[in-house]
Amino acid sequence: MCGIVGYIGKKNAIPIIIEGLKRLEYRGYDSAGLAIINDKRQLEVFKQKGKIVALERIMPQAQRTFSNIGIGHTRWATHGKPNTINAHPHTCSQNKIALVHNGIIENYIALKTKLIDHGYSFDSETDTEVLAKLIGFFYQQDNDLVIAVKKALKLAKGAYGIAVICSDDPSRIVAARKGSPLILGIGNDEFFVASDVNAVIIHTHKVIYLNDDEIVSITKDNFEITNLDNEIIEAIVSEVDWDISTIEKGDYKHFMLKEIFEQPVSVENAFRGRLISKMSTVRLGGLNMTPADLRNIKKIQIIACGTSWHSGLIGKFVIESLARIPVDVEYASEFRYRNPIITPDTIVFVISQSGETADTLAALREAKARGVKVFGITNVVGSTIARETDGGVYIHAGNEIGVASTKAFTSQTTVLILLAVMLGRVNHIDPAYGKRFINELRLIPDKIQTILQSNDYIREIAKTIMNSTNALYLGRGLHFPVALEGALKLKEISYIHAEGYPAAEMKHGPIALIDKNMPVIAIALKDDIYDKIISNLQEVKARNGRIITIATQGDDLVTDFSQDVIYIPETIDILQPLLSVIPLQLLAYHIADLRNLDVDQPRNLAKSVTVE
Ligand code: G6P
């Protein structure tokens, strides 16, 4: 959600910031802007509605200007429309200070009222302009940017990641965070600030992840991190262990397609090194739990948002089935605002690809405050959730850039299945099952590869339903969350209204919608409830529904009532979601692409939702 990039060093800041913003565009992309200090020690601000290319178009002259300090922003609107006036940077009333901001200043109306009482006026509808003017207000008292930022932040309630420059002090960037990620990149005689490592990775692999309530003052040669009470904080420098190629599209038309095709590898990375063949079990070292600890778990609470919540639902199904431990799965945004029952023998798992989702983070903190252990299932190493949990499991999916999550979902699901088997082996399941599981899991990457070979065929199916206005996804048991995920993918990127439903529940409502124009995408694999879903699909057929079935290789029966069948290889029940979701991802992708939509940056969405 919104991206921040700042640069100070010997090079020209403008192209570095523009390039960095492009790398962050997946986080927010409705408007963009940047501010530099020119050689006359004046602040210059460029802003434009739309994507970074729109910003570049209005500043060809500036591209030739040289400035070795600047800050930039790509926005996902919270307060005020996505237009040029509301775009960041915002400035103080004397046009000396420029600020870019991620997050929300919750008390901005009260602060704005006070500033208006002091004679201030405002151009935009944003909370950010209020913060910029407030910093300006304090700057007039002390003429010290760091002090002014600290004074303003002490009054601000809410979440922020900010970067600030001031034309009176042209060799300093001040940056701070609370609840919204911010890193300091350390180069050779240059520094970067960014909301995300992606923005700086071509320049440096050395980063410092700022913590909440920390402020960094950066000059060309040095930096100092303090907290709001002026105590000096010792910085821990981390080395980023991935490189630029992982955030490039390569030959793929979209990141989403690339990420779908990466799944044979990303799923393997999620289980690599975690299978203990000799004991027919699984080890998740990051949990730091002995078999005795695992046996003591009486209840599991899973908390997540979006796609991660869907993987949590699969987790519930497999953990309850293999380990017989009750599992509750809740949206983080709901969990944090009610009074959930957390017994002392409960453990909590928060699932988050980005590790930064504001609601998930708040739910994590609420669960910790109740004195139970909270573990994370995250992708982004060093993310806030990864750092604040008591331990956890990285899914190792690699960078996911497409806003619609694909490979993170299968990797999260893989980890949850591993967890279920690990808990199952200390409770209920025998070594023979453990062994079979390990053997079957090892075959999954190749089976995903086989499904990916149906890509062209799935595109042909997509052509036949690309103009639909609604779609229904049906599944039973652990395929119900897969149906939810398939429907979510379609909604997110094609803007077709879609719903996921447990197939039998269809009779209690959605069946009223079924006619020849309504595609029904059904997951009907050979398992214990195969016959049941077949009956449900006959009910759809009787109402002239157009059925696309995800079926087990070799199942001819489904052709009787399906217009199209996408076959997937057989595997054991608990691993089926890792296969059945792949055609649904491809179907959504091709429909959106055929509709000429912006697959990787769908309207109104953002990859990482750092506001509640
Ligand atoms: C946003 C993204 C989704 C993601 C959800 C949760 O809505 O667009 O793809 O599933 O946030 O994100 P997280 O990073 O916590 O998994």
Side-chain angles (χ1 to χ4, degrees), residues 171-378:
S171 300
R172 186 183 309 279
I173 298 179
V174 178
R177 81 157 266 178
K178 181 178 190 169
S180 196
L182 208 66
I183 58 130
L184 169 66
I186 304 170
N188 291 327
D189 300 325
E190 58 187 2
F191 294 101
F192 307 82
V193 283
S195 47
D196 183 320
V197 176
N198 290 14
V200 304
I201 195 77
I202 47 167
H203 306 288
T204 180
H205 282 227
K206 279 202 185 104
V207 300
I208 293 170
Y209 296 94
L210 290 189
N211 292 307
D212 277 357
D213 295 315
E214 288 179 358
I215 297 188
V216 59
S217 169
I218 314 154
T219 59
K220 284 192 183 94
D221 334 291
N222 217 336
F223 65 90
E224 183 180 70
I225 303 176
T226 52
N227 60 21
L228 289 180
D229 298 322
N230 294 324
E231 290 158 343
I232 294 184
I233 309 288
E234 205 175 316
I236 301 167
V237 181
S238 308
E239 191 75 31
V240 179
D241 65 357
W242 48 268
D243 66 53
I244 190 77
S245 64
T246 66
I247 52 170
E248 311 254 87
K249 269 201 294 247
D251 292 336
Y252 288 94
K253 184 170 177 191
H254 294 105
F255 278 110
M256 182 179 176
L257 190 62
K258 175 182 177 235
E259 287 156 8
I260 292 173
F261 271 79
E262 279 172 353
Q263 289 176 107
V265 175
S266 56
V267 164
E268 181 149 15
N269 285 344
F271 68 74
R272 187 195 304 280
R274 291 171 169 162
L275 305 178
I276 315 296
S277 301
K278 222 165 53 188
M279 302 300 294
S280 303
T281 190
V282 165
R283 184 175 51 218
L284 297 173
L287 300 184
N288 264 326
M289 289 177 105
T290 63
D293 295 334
L294 295 173
R295 274 189 73 96
N296 279 333
I297 300 168
K298 296 289 176 287
K299 197 185 152 199
I300 293 176
Q301 174 73 57
I302 292 178
I303 306 169
C305 302
T307 286
S308 300
W309 184 77
H310 292 159
S311 69
L313 292 179
I314 296 174
K316 171 183 168 70
F317 193 98
V318 291
I319 293 168
E320 290 190 344
S321 147
L322 297 186
R324 312 302 298 156
I325 298 171
V327 182
D328 272 350
V329 187
E330 189 152 11
Y331 286 121
S333 53
E334 292 298 314
F335 179 91
R336 64 180 288 198
Y337 285 119
R338 62 182 193 93
N339 190 8
I341 298 170
I342 305 277
T343 52
D345 44 15
T346 298
I347 64 165
V348 175
F349 281 90
V350 290
I351 309 174
S352 174
Q353 185 285 129
S354 62
E356 302 292 350
T357 302
D359 283 323
T360 312
L361 184 57
L364 178 175
R365 289 173 179 161
E366 173 61 24
K368 274 184 94 170
R370 291 177 182 235
V372 292
K373 283 227 184 279
V374 183
F375 296 102
I377 296 178
T378 51

Side-chain angles (χ1 to χ4, degrees), residues 25 52 94 122 218 454 461 534 565:
E25 212 169 16
I52 315 294
Q94 295 187 305
F122 293 84
I218 314 154
S454 308
I461 298 174
I534 296 299
V565 181

Side-chain angles (χ1 to χ4, degrees), residues 509-522:
I511 199 163
L513 302 170
I514 288 171
D515 62 15
K516 63 180 179 0
N517 299 317
M518 167 79 124
V520 175
I521 297 103

Side-chain angles (χ1 to χ4, degrees), residues 245-248 255-270 307 311 353 379 395-402 404-415 448 485 489 578 581-582 585 607:
S245 64
T246 66
I247 52 170
E248 311 254 87
F255 278 110
M256 182 179 176
L257 190 62
K258 175 182 177 235
E259 287 156 8
I260 292 173
F261 271 79
E262 279 172 353
Q263 289 176 107
V265 175
S266 56
V267 164
E268 181 149 15
N269 285 344
T307 286
S311 69
Q353 185 285 129
N379 190 30
I395 62 172
H396 298 308
N399 272 293
E400 192 179 65
I401 307 285
S405 182
T406 51
K407 62 176 179 171
F409 174 78
T410 43
S411 296
Q412 289 164 344
T413 303
T414 305
V415 164
I448 295 176
E485 177 59 10
K489 287 299 83 109
L578 298 175
V581 76
I582 311 286
Q585 296 169 342
K607 183 74 186 155

